[in-house]
Amino acid sequence: QVQLVESGGGLMQPGGSLRLSCAVSGFTLSRSAMSWYRQAPGKERELVATISSTGGRTNYADSGKGRFTISRDNAKNTVYLQMRSLKPEDTAVYYCSAAMYYGTWGRGTQVTVSS
């Protein structure tokens, strides 16, 4: 059974940093590209960042370029999203997704950026 468990969210002040983690199980992480998505209240879920199965290629939505870094540790079955210079508009529930199992979602982790 494929499981994605996000963690690391919290309440942060603008300008702060957070590192989100996504622990995966039920499949071989090294075989799948992975992505982070987010969904703000009243808005549709949007793609934040993607990383290839080996970690050699990454892509970011304009909203996170220069501030977010996606990475992965296949040996630990974990994908990360390092977020810096947080803005109030980064407030959302953040989800990870496996390309091989698109449509399977975890519960997400709430990130709130507010002064």
Side-chain angles (χ1 to χ4, degrees):
Q1 181 180 3
V2 173
Q3 287 192 317
L4 306 166
V5 180
E6 302 91 347
S7 63
L11 173 62
M12 298 297 297
Q13 292 190 338
S17 298
L18 272 178
R19 189 177 79 158
L20 307 183
S21 298
C22 172
V24 311
S25 60
F27 68 102
T28 303
L29 179 60
S30 61
R31 295 182 179 177
S32 181
M34 297 293 295
S35 297
W36 282 96
Y37 287 77
R38 69 186 183 185
Q39 187 166 19
K43 295 187 177 181
E44 293 190 355
R45 196 168 297 186
E46 64 175 1
L47 179 64
V48 175
T50 298
I51 187 167
S52 63
S53 58
T54 62
R57 293 191 308 275
T58 57
N59 286 291
Y60 299 90
D62 288 344
S63 58
K65 283 181 180 177
R67 299 188 300 123
F68 295 176
T69 302
I70 188 171
S71 61
R72 62 193 296 158
D73 186 334
N74 289 339
K76 294 183 178 180
N77 292 321
T78 304
V79 181
Y80 305 97
L81 184 68
Q82 177 71 52
M83 304 188 296
R84 296 177 293 273
S85 301
L86 286 164
K87 304 175 182 180
E89 50 264 44
D90 294 321
T91 295
V93 179
Y94 284 72
Y95 302 88
C96 66
S97 172
M100 288 179 61
Y101 297 98
Y102 184 77
T104 298
W105 301 99
R107 293 184 176 182
T109 186
Q110 175 72 49
V111 173
T112 302
V113 184
S114 175
S115 55

